[in-house]
Amino acid sequence: MAKSAPAISLKGLTKNFGSLAAVDHLDLEIASGEFFSMLGPSGSGKTTVLRMIAGFDLPSSGTVELDGEDVTSLAPFDRDVNTVFQDYALFGHMSVFENVEYGLKVRKIPKSERKRKVMEVLDTVRLADLAERRPAQLSGGQRQRIALARAIVVDPKVLLLDEPLGALDLKLREQMQIELKQLQRELAITFVFVTHDQEEALTLSDRIAVFNNGKIEQLGTPQELYEIPKSEFVAGFVGTSNIFNEEAALTLFGKRGRFALRPEKVSVSDKKKAGSVQGVVSEVIYLGSFTRLIVDVAGIHIKATVPADVFHRNQTVQINMSSTDLVVL
Ligand code: ATP
């Protein structure tokens, strides 16, 4: 049997703004049904990629294929994708029902069918009882859910989400993350999610592309990116890492090269053990469920994750690090 085409395939995709390559010869395939995130700092090109997939921006060169069909020059409404924007872009003068109905009206779906579809989708996002309200009469989380309902009501094959949870407070954001993941599983459509929040990307995604300067630095599952970052940029952007340069690596491990080591792989004790090195706690950062220590060993600052309330500043401690936990950069 022939392998089915990827939901999205980008080939040599480039977008120049003057002399700036906002997106630089990008090759990427996203499988059907995948929850795919584009993660990166502000200005790294994520939104520009999304806008080219949606058809809001034309590439300077390269192609966008959806389900094996070249759509590079098709208008946004001729593509089987829909977008949820960070500011939701809801129509303030329309009710929740009318906001969600809009896309079906534009597609000339008959009225009775529209009503059935809208109520079904509002049910999915648990807003059926608020159908007559206007967006201004809703909370941030509820507005977010209408934006989702409005995007999924037309049954797109691909849903593009541009920092959709950025405007929500932390607690609501965490709740919406779970809802998004459940929704994606239920609908089995491809989600392409843009975020600069690494924790959010790790929580939600099947795979993540880490962007830097218009290029993908690394592509992988959350676990691969966390466990085996290929560059200092990824090691620093996805989670927290110790980065040891040549000199530090030689001093601490007698090894040549540049390495990353996660703080949870550094064990700290007040007793000397085989292979331990002595250091002094220079900083104690309380982070709720755990505490981060900065330990000074021969002038090298080492981050370690420890339980709360065990160590204090200026305390002399023994730390153990195994060279098998080092990740080569
Ligand atoms: P953010 O997380 O802040 O949204 P991003 O990774 O999505 O950032 P983009 O919005 O894709 O980044 O922008 C990539 C680069 O392209 C930036 O340097 C930006 O200033 C530039 N850029 C984006 N749109 C335009 C435009 N219409 N004209 C000129 N430059 C632009």
Side-chain angles (χ1 to χ4, degrees):
M1 205 173 84
K3 193 167 161 273
S4 63
I8 301 171
S9 173
L10 310 177
K11 292 180 182 152
L13 196 67
T14 299
K15 181 72 182 178
N16 300 316
F17 292 112
S19 62
L20 171 83
V23 177
D24 198 0
H25 293 90
L26 192 75
D27 292 311
L28 176 64
E29 286 192 353
I30 300 174
S32 175
E34 211 174 355
F35 198 124
F36 189 89
S37 291
M38 299 198 273
L39 171 70
S42 187
S44 56
K46 312 171 302 280
T47 299
T48 306
V49 174
L50 210 66
R51 291 179 59 82
M52 288 192 281
I53 298 173
F56 300 127
D57 278 344
L58 266 179
S60 306
S61 60
T63 55
V64 177
E65 288 176 19
L66 298 174
D67 254 345
E69 185 200 353
D70 187 335
V71 299
T72 316
S73 50
L74 290 188
F77 49 81
D78 287 330
R79 303 181 184 203
D80 209 353
V81 302
N82 220 341
T83 309
V84 178
F85 299 97
Q86 177 170 2
D87 61 4
Y88 314 149
L90 298 173
F91 304 121
H93 62 289
M94 290 186 190
S95 68
V96 166
F97 184 95
E98 289 163 338
N99 262 282
V100 178
E101 184 189 26
Y102 184 80
L104 298 174
K105 250 182 163 167
V106 172
R107 284 169 177 75
K108 310 244 176 339
I109 308 289
K111 191 165 178 181
S112 60
E113 170 72 7
R114 288 202 308 259
K115 176 150 197 237
R116 191 190 61 74
K117 216 47 224 167
V118 172
M119 290 319 288
E120 183 187 302
V121 172
L122 284 179
D123 229 23
T124 307
V125 298
R126 297 186 286 109
L127 277 182
D129 48 341
L130 301 181
E132 294 315 313
R133 292 233 192 132
R134 305 235 157 175
Q137 297 167 312
L138 299 173
S139 71
Q142 289 165 338
R143 278 204 284 275
Q144 168 57 249
R145 293 212 290 267
I146 317 177
L148 274 172
R150 196 178 59 173
I152 61 180
V153 75
V154 294
D155 292 326
K157 285 215 181 89
V158 171
L159 192 62
L160 307 173
L161 303 109
D162 193 0
E163 304 248 5
L165 310 182
L168 307 178
D169 65 52
L170 182 64
K171 201 164 156 39
L172 193 53
R173 209 162 78 204
E174 287 176 350
Q175 185 192 328
M176 284 303 300
Q177 285 171 1
I178 297 169
E179 287 187 22
L180 259 187
K181 185 91 187 162
Q182 285 170 343
L183 189 68
Q184 193 258 347
R185 239 183 244 131
E186 221 171 277
L187 300 171
I189 56 181
T190 311
F191 272 36
V192 184
F193 187 87
V194 163
T195 182
H196 59 254
D197 181 333
Q198 50 104 7
E199 217 173 283
E200 191 159 280
L202 291 177
T203 309
L204 290 170
S205 320
D206 295 316
R207 282 191 310 156
I208 302 171
V210 181
F211 275 73
N212 188 18
N213 289 331
K215 288 184 188 295
I216 294 178
E217 279 269 327
Q218 193 172 347
L219 178 69
T221 64
Q223 197 176 355
E224 283 164 352
L225 293 180
Y226 190 84
E227 301 286 342
I228 323 162
K230 292 209 172 105
S231 66
E232 190 166 329
F233 179 83
V234 176
F237 201 77
V238 181
T240 304
S241 265
N242 288 293
I243 307 288
F244 297 127
N245 61 20
E246 295 260 353
E247 205 187 325
L250 210 53
T251 309
L252 294 169
F253 304 97
K255 275 172 108 90
R256 292 199 173 276
R258 292 176 68 74
F259 302 92
L261 181 70
R262 294 291 180 192
E264 62 270 24
K265 304 280 190 194
V266 178
S267 86
V268 184
S269 164
D270 54 359
K271 294 185 190 67
K272 208 166 168 45
K273 293 180 189 164
S276 65
V277 290
Q278 184 167 303
V280 175
V281 177
S282 64
E283 215 56 74
V284 179
I285 303 154
Y286 176 72
L287 292 166
S289 54
F290 64 92
T291 289
R292 165 121 335 117
L293 299 184
I294 313 276
V295 182
D296 190 334
V297 176
I300 303 161
H301 290 132
I302 298 171
K303 292 174 227 157
T305 304
V306 295
D309 281 341
V310 180
F311 301 97
H312 58 83
R313 220 165 90 78
N314 295 327
Q315 183 177 351
T316 298
V317 291
Q318 305 292 330
I319 68 172
N320 272 81
M321 298 177 288
S322 164
S323 58
T324 54
D325 290 328
L326 292 176
V327 177
V328 181
L329 296 176

